[in-house]
Amino acid sequence: MPGTPSIQRPTQHQFNPYSDNGGTILAIAGADFSIIAGDTRQSEGYNIQTRYAPKVFRLTDRAVLAVNGFAADGNMFVKKVKQRLEWYRHAHAKDMPLRAIARLIQTMLYAQRFFPYYVYNILGGIEEDGSGAVYSFDPVGSYERETCRAAGAAQSLVQPFLDNQVYFKNQVPPPGRAHPTHLPLRDVLDIVIDAFTSATERHIEVGDGLEMYIVLAKGRTLQGVEAAQEISARTDGERVFVLRRDLKKD
Amino acid sequence: MFRNTYDSDNTVFSPQGRLHQVEYSLEAVKQGSAAVGLRSKTHAVILGLKRSTGELASYQQKMYRIDDHVGIAIAGLTSDARVLSNFMRQQAMGSKMVFNRPVPVNRLVSAIADKAQVNTQEYGRRPYGVGFLVIGHDHTGPHLYEFSPSGTSFEYYAMSIGARSQSAKTYLEKHYEKFVDCDLTDLIRHGLHALRETLQQDKELTINNTSIGIIGPAASSEAPGSGESFRILEGEPISGFLQSMLPKEEAMGFAPAPAAPAAAPASDQDVQMSE
Amino acid sequence: MDHFPTNWGRPRNDAFDAYNTYPFHVRPDNGPRDAFADNVQRTQQPIVTGTSVLALKYKDGIMMAADCLASYGSLARFKDIQRLHEVGKFTVIGASGDMSDYQYLQTTLDELLISEEITAADGHSLGPVEIHEYLSRLMYGRRSRLNPLWNSILVGGVKDGKSFLAYVDLLGTTYSSSTLATGYGAYIAQPLLRKAVEGREMDIDENEARKIMTDCLRVLFYRDARSLNKYQIATVTDSGVAISPSMELGTQWGFAEGIRGYGAQTQ
């Protein structure tokens, strides 16, 4: 109403319960494998808090979750997801399937719709039909299945690179040939490593170390990717490996 | 059945200083099929005899996984066991959430014992009708505990609960000194021998009616990747263990004495058995 | 009906809307007036504060250091307080930020230890890893209720031959590293600590660790206006926790004589 004096409340210094801890995560799905990667730097502003704080977590032998954003929320969220998966194990004596974990994560995120977990999640692994899959989420639970996704501080640097290298955007195939629908494991690993070395060059919040989790469908082997350390609970189903590399520390 | 003056609720002592409802709850444990537990320096195992209500029914679950480092075998009311095992799972997860450590086994057992004790003292409640054998592993090594609905918990080298468990106990008491240095295979064999003692005359242990719960490094005969955490073996994987059992007399090493029935105290004035 | 007068807000303003006819959305806001209005006050800012805490890993375990000052704004209010605290037999914590919140934490931890170590007394004692997890859940829980404990805390210790050093703050943010510093020390001391320690944790003996620590404390005393030249150093090794008495930091101010161009000197 015009002429009404506006009566404002005194402004208060408000506690901000969020922070941004930088870093970048990324996942790419192949035909029968999936790679989920993240750098290991944790920062706040211009401070590097630590050079090694994992952002990628094995949930089951066929599911790996990468969490990026506010680290305290991320760690808590992973803990809660793991608890829910443990209850599932108690009830059903088996691990939860990947697509069910994806839906679980959606409901858990949306449950905090009005005080969200400030985290971007990427879930990678193997579906029940044996195909590699990647699910990406926003902080309040919107999600979709994709072939590849980058998130975090250097998302804007990495995602266009992936669009070009994985989806072949702006590439014209040689005459008479089509782009492949799925890339082999070795090529995907090279893309992941290149993505992170480039992001490290150009983004101050990315660097120090790189952790790449490789999830293989049942019966598939690493085929020439040595030095990957196996962390699966059982060796007769889907298998999880982790591969670590240094990134520049400056 | 029993006919007593002082058994209508659990907050009233009998003149002999006994809580009859609590004692009846111990009888409920004895109605359940037997479970046997024993441990060595490196392993703890539980063995359970599963019952089925008939040819058409499946065998009832005797064992529950609580966490990677804890498992239980039950005797008595399955529904009470589910409530208590759920509580144990919550405790185990709480410990991981708050302290990032697997819950110490003795504290887990004390927690359910305390819970059971409340039911022996508060008006309007009934004691749990189930007993547990709990095996677990923490940084003080492998453990075996017995939990009973009277609210007690004790640690044992070897123990048995449930129907005709006295016969198994007789076997265990005879052999327990050897258990400490047993490897997993021998420990399970001892367990099977003890469990066999609880069978009715015409029955025998089969892959269908026997469950084996293990904590500790895998035996060579187990499936690869079994790890050290709690696992339940049932069905085909236990046939090797069953075949390795020795004939009864040989296993006992002496003529099995007829299991003495637990004699009722002579001064048992206010308890009368009737048909 | 709300019976708390503080919640009623101001009476209707007769200068406008004399007949109380304005629609709701332009009427004076009768919501909470101040922090007391909802009868609870939450920590909105620290009051009496401690400055940086430093810590590093070395050959025998961990070392932690903090000065003895608790400031009230820019006033050096308390000059002999302990900011390092022993928690059980294997752990030391050190806190910067609000000192009353810190003392509350100390009490909470001491109670926890009584129930864990004395009541239970079953050989399952809490090590630095467990203490840190507990503190993290506590701090994160408080921040999630928007009622934080205004501290940055370092937790260090040795148990079963494993040394552990980690950080937790009012947001529940956690991390672990071989050198850590809170507050101003994160800017001033952390680079020095990293340069001296990173990659050679197992080569540094106690003497060298003390030298590194005191050098960092000295730089902080020169540069941090809320610091003091009285400090304590704690070590946790296989043989347990040792917190030193407060010590004086040797400083050198002779160079100030030679400075020209500002201050009292005019030429």
Side-chain angles (χ1 to χ4, degrees):
Chain A
M1 184 164 292
T4 318
S6 74
I7 295 182
Q8 284 216 315
R9 296 216 251 148
T11 50
Q12 283 190 352
H13 173 72
Q14 249 272 321
F15 168 64
N16 177 196
Y18 291 115
S19 179
D20 180 1
N21 297 106
T24 277
I25 52 172
L26 125 74
I28 302 175
D32 56 357
F33 67 89
S34 188
I35 294 186
I36 305 93
D39 69 327
T40 65
R41 175 175 292 181
Q42 182 174 311
S43 57
E44 190 169 31
Y46 291 135
N47 283 325
I48 296 173
Q49 294 181 315
T50 178
R51 300 195 190 280
Y52 184 71
K55 281 194 275 289
V56 190
F57 302 90
R58 172 190 164 278
L59 297 178
T60 67
D61 277 354
R62 61 174 97 108
V64 170
L65 181 62
V67 191
N68 196 233
F70 174 35
D73 271 353
N75 291 329
M76 193 55 171
F77 185 69
V78 169
K79 264 194 137 172
K80 294 236 160 148
V81 172
K82 282 183 173 172
Q83 276 201 333
R84 295 288 292 266
L85 295 179
E86 178 78 357
W87 280 115
Y88 185 94
R89 221 169 284 132
H90 283 317
H92 304 285
K94 64 163 193 162
D95 284 331
M96 194 187 278
L98 189 72
R99 60 188 220 101
I101 299 178
R103 178 61 65 87
L104 172 73
I105 288 173
Q106 159 169 75
T107 51
M108 289 179 68
L109 288 169
Y110 194 79
Q112 291 287 330
R113 173 61 181 80
F114 298 107
F115 188 16
Y117 289 114
Y118 214 125
V119 286
Y120 290 86
N121 285 288
I122 300 178
L123 175 71
I126 303 294
E127 295 280 21
E128 280 175 307
D129 66 2
S131 61
V134 164
Y135 290 89
S136 68
F137 300 79
D138 82 351
V140 288
S142 301
Y143 79 110
E144 61 176 330
R145 186 179 165 179
E146 295 176 293
T147 303
C148 77
R149 170 60 65 185
Q155 182 189 38
S156 54
L157 281 69
V158 174
Q159 190 66 51
F161 171 68
L162 296 182
D163 290 343
N164 180 250
Q165 291 295 307
V166 178
Y167 290 125
F168 298 102
K169 292 286 166 64
N170 301 304
Q171 288 198 62
V172 182
R177 287 209 283 150
H179 290 307
T181 41
H182 288 295
L183 295 170
L185 178 61
R186 189 64 254 178
D187 293 14
V188 173
L189 265 180
D190 287 341
I191 291 173
V192 170
I193 292 166
D194 285 351
F196 275 95
T197 34
S198 316
T200 304
E201 284 297 327
R202 286 290 184 173
H203 200 115
I204 56 166
E205 293 173 5
V206 180
D208 289 334
L210 171 59
E211 277 188 333
M212 292 168 282
Y213 282 66
I214 306 166
V215 193
L216 299 181
K218 196 171 176 172
R220 194 206 140 125
T221 59
L222 271 179
Q223 288 167 357
V225 182
E226 291 85 20
Q229 173 200 347
E230 176 150 18
I231 52 165
S232 19
R234 302 184 66 89
T235 50
D236 52 357
E238 291 83 2
R239 298 169 75 177
V240 190
F241 297 82
V242 60
L243 199 58
R244 294 191 174 85
R245 265 178 149 255
D246 276 345
L247 290 174
K248 282 168 80 174
K249 295 184 192 301
D250 52 6
Chain B
M1 284 314 296
F2 291 109
R3 204 190 71 238
N4 286 319
T5 320
Y6 290 97
D7 70 352
S8 57
D9 71 64
N10 58 22
T11 59
V12 177
F13 279 109
S14 81
Q16 281 71 42
R18 300 167 52 180
L19 294 169
H20 287 121
Q21 283 297 329
V22 175
E23 292 181 17
Y24 300 165
S25 74
L26 301 178
E27 294 301 316
V29 178
K30 290 183 197 158
Q31 305 279 336
S33 62
V36 168
L38 57 166
R39 77 171 162 87
S40 68
K41 270 193 307 228
T42 51
H43 292 82
V45 299
I46 39 179
L47 304 97
L49 185 64
K50 288 183 289 186
R51 270 188 192 148
S52 87
T53 48
E55 295 283 301
L56 299 174
S58 62
Y59 286 85
Q60 282 186 5
Q61 193 182 351
K62 281 289 280 180
M63 286 177 194
Y64 294 85
R65 174 177 167 275
I66 301 301
D67 201 344
D68 282 343
H69 70 299
V70 183
I72 60 168
I74 64 160
L77 300 181
T78 309
S79 45
D80 282 14
R82 267 205 329 270
V83 170
L84 277 171
S85 61
N86 247 337
F87 175 75
M88 293 171 86
R89 288 165 173 178
Q90 281 172 16
Q91 295 285 306
M93 271 190 216
S95 180
K96 272 195 191 145
M97 178 57 85
V98 177
F99 293 115
N100 192 22
R101 101 177 145 179
V103 64
V105 189
N106 64 310
R107 296 204 189 163
L108 193 56
V109 180
S110 301
I112 51 168
D114 291 352
K115 212 169 146 61
Q117 193 279 337
V118 173
N119 290 352
T120 69
Q121 199 175 13
E122 285 188 7
Y123 182 79
R125 290 175 180 269
R126 73 160 170 82
Y128 290 107
V130 70
F132 289 173
L133 289 179
V134 182
I135 56 168
H137 187 279
D138 54 35
H139 83 270
T140 54
H143 295 284
L144 165 69
Y145 289 90
E146 184 215 5
F147 154 77
S148 101
S150 57
T152 55
S153 64
F154 294 109
E155 182 161 15
Y156 289 97
Y157 293 109
M159 189 56 186
S160 63
I161 57 171
R164 278 184 291 281
S165 58
Q166 186 55 48
S167 315
K169 235 173 270 174
T170 310
Y171 178 90
L172 295 171
E173 280 163 6
K174 173 85 178 158
H175 295 275
Y176 79 96
E177 281 163 323
K178 286 177 251 168
F179 297 165
V180 186
D181 295 313
C182 277
D183 65 13
L184 179 56
T185 319
D186 288 343
L187 200 64
I188 290 176
R189 189 185 299 125
H190 276 300
L192 289 170
H193 287 161
L195 190 64
R196 181 172 56 184
E197 299 294 319
T198 72
L199 289 168
Q200 283 164 305
Q201 241 165 19
D202 53 338
K203 296 279 170 50
E204 57 180 18
L205 295 180
T206 68
I207 59 168
N208 294 320
N209 68 6
T210 312
S211 281
I212 306 178
I214 306 169
I215 278 178
S220 52
S221 54
E222 280 185 74
S226 295
E228 301 200 0
S229 46
F230 180 75
R231 54 212 180 266
I232 298 171
L233 302 186
E234 285 174 328
E236 199 41 49
I238 65 169
S239 62
F241 293 112
L242 288 175
Q243 281 154 20
S244 77
M245 281 197 296
L246 303 172
K248 247 183 166 181
E249 290 70 29
E250 209 178 310
M252 239 354 187
F254 70 111
S267 63
D268 195 13
Q269 294 293 308
D270 58 348
V271 178
Q272 291 148 7
M273 298 292 270
S274 63
E275 290 303 309
Chain C
M1 173 65 193
D2 187 341
H3 297 281
F4 290 100
T6 49
N7 293 347
W8 297 350
R10 295 175 196 162
R12 187 166 49 82
N13 188 346
D14 283 327
F16 69 98
D17 192 22
Y19 303 98
N20 208 21
T21 54
Y22 288 167
F24 273 106
H25 67 274
V26 289
R27 288 206 198 152
D29 174 17
N30 281 342
R33 287 274 77 78
D34 55 34
F36 294 97
D38 50 3
N39 305 309
V40 193
Q41 188 173 25
R42 295 172 171 150
T43 309
Q44 300 295 340
Q45 54 181 321
I47 307 294
V48 176
T49 59
T51 185
S52 328
V53 184
L54 313 179
L56 59 82
K57 273 188 187 173
Y58 69 107
K59 199 169 66 180
D60 308 328
I62 68 104
M63 183 175 281
M64 196 181 289
D67 67 22
C68 300
L69 179 67
S71 311
Y72 180 70
S74 59
L75 174 72
R77 180 65 182 80
F78 306 101
K79 302 198 356 173
D80 192 23
I81 55 123
Q82 273 217 29
R83 294 199 289 131
L84 303 178
H85 181 62
E86 183 176 346
V87 184
K89 287 194 281 291
F90 312 99
T91 314
V92 156
I93 63 167
S96 54
D98 191 279
M99 286 295 104
S100 59
D101 283 353
Y102 176 52
Q103 285 172 1
Y104 165 76
L105 271 175
Q106 288 179 322
T107 316
T108 310
L109 285 173
D110 289 348
E111 277 167 14
L112 172 72
L113 259 94
I114 288 170
S115 67
E116 280 279 322
E117 322 265 272
I118 299 175
T119 313
D122 54 4
H124 296 284
S125 35
L126 296 173
V129 181
E130 289 81 25
I131 299 287
H132 178 257
E133 190 69 27
Y134 180 81
L135 275 177
S136 308
R137 297 286 74 87
L138 186 70
M139 300 294 273
Y140 182 81
R142 288 292 293 258
R143 89 96 215 188
S144 299
R145 272 172 278 134
L146 297 182
N147 188 16
L149 295 169
W150 216 285
N151 297 107
S152 298
I153 302 161
L154 300 189
V155 182
V158 179
K159 192 177 178 225
D160 303 330
K162 284 194 209 64
S163 63
F164 174 87
L165 187 55
Y167 168 100
V168 57
D169 66 13
L170 72 167
L171 291 173
T173 307
T174 56
Y175 49 90
S176 186
S177 173
S178 56
T179 65
L180 287 175
T182 70
Y184 211 65
Y187 299 90
I188 300 275
Q190 181 69 305
L192 304 171
L193 287 169
R194 283 193 181 142
K195 197 170 174 185
V197 176
E198 231 171 46
R200 49 188 296 269
E201 292 85 357
M202 287 301 128
D203 305 329
I204 300 174
D205 62 7
E206 181 170 341
N207 281 331
E208 189 183 356
R210 268 181 203 281
K211 166 112 179 36
I212 296 168
M213 247 349 167
T214 43
D215 284 349
C216 289
L217 286 166
R218 189 175 296 108
V219 174
L220 275 171
F221 177 58
Y222 284 137
R223 291 292 174 188
D224 178 2
R226 305 284 172 268
S227 68
L228 194 67
N229 60 343
K230 243 168 91 182
Y231 67 100
Q232 285 179 298
I233 286 185
T235 58
V236 189
T237 60
D238 279 331
S239 45
V241 179
I243 302 181
S244 76
S246 60
M247 298 178 287
E248 192 93 13
L249 200 57
T251 47
Q252 175 59 259
W253 295 97
F255 64 91
E257 287 293 318
I259 295 176
R260 290 291 176 273
Y262 67 94
Q265 292 86 8
T266 46
Q267 49 100 272

